[in-house]
Amino acid sequence: MPCPKGVNIPMCFAAYNTSFAHGWYQGMHQYITASGAMVGEARFASDCVKCGACLEKCPQHVQIPSELTSVKRRLQIPGLPALVRLGVKLMSR
Ligand code: SF4
């Protein structure tokens, strides 16, 4: 952190872990919260452009871009970013 694309890396991984520990639905809920949709522009694991900037900053040497792909596969149903952004837009009216 910070990711130049605004991906909340720790929260994405936390949501991923939650989806196994407490169920997919709860993980998904946490993933949407982690996107920051309610406080700014939503960012998802799919926004990672694999620039590698986070790799040199991770003290645990986690392969963050590939792990974010796993997060995306598990939690990001097709169309989710567009749906969340639309929902936030409608709620802000
Ligand atoms: S590799 Fe992805 S998550 Fe890491 S800094 Fe770049 S865009 Fe952000």
Side-chain angles (χ1 to χ4, degrees):
M1 294 286 278
C3 163
K5 290 296 176 182
V7 178
N8 189 331
I9 300 164
M11 287 297 286
C12 282
F13 292 156
Y16 184 75
N17 290 338
T18 294
S19 76
F20 289 102
H22 302 289
W24 184 86
Y25 180 80
Q26 198 151 340
M28 166 62 82
H29 183 269
Q30 193 171 336
Y31 184 57
I32 292 171
T33 303
S35 76
M38 302 311 285
V39 293
E41 191 174 342
R43 297 291 181 188
F44 295 89
S46 59
D47 289 305
C48 171
V49 293
K50 304 189 185 324
C51 69
C54 55
L55 290 172
E56 59 198 38
K57 295 176 186 165
C58 178
Q60 296 164 328
H61 308 292
V62 173
Q63 294 301 306
I64 293 169
S66 61
E67 294 299 332
L68 283 175
T69 299
S70 299
V71 173
K72 179 182 150 191
R73 282 199 194 114
R74 179 153 175 84
L75 294 176
Q76 198 163 313
I77 56 174
L80 179 70
L83 274 174
V84 168
R85 288 172 182 133
L86 177 64
V88 169
K89 202 176 208 177
L90 291 174
M91 286 169 52
S92 65
R93 287 185 171 186

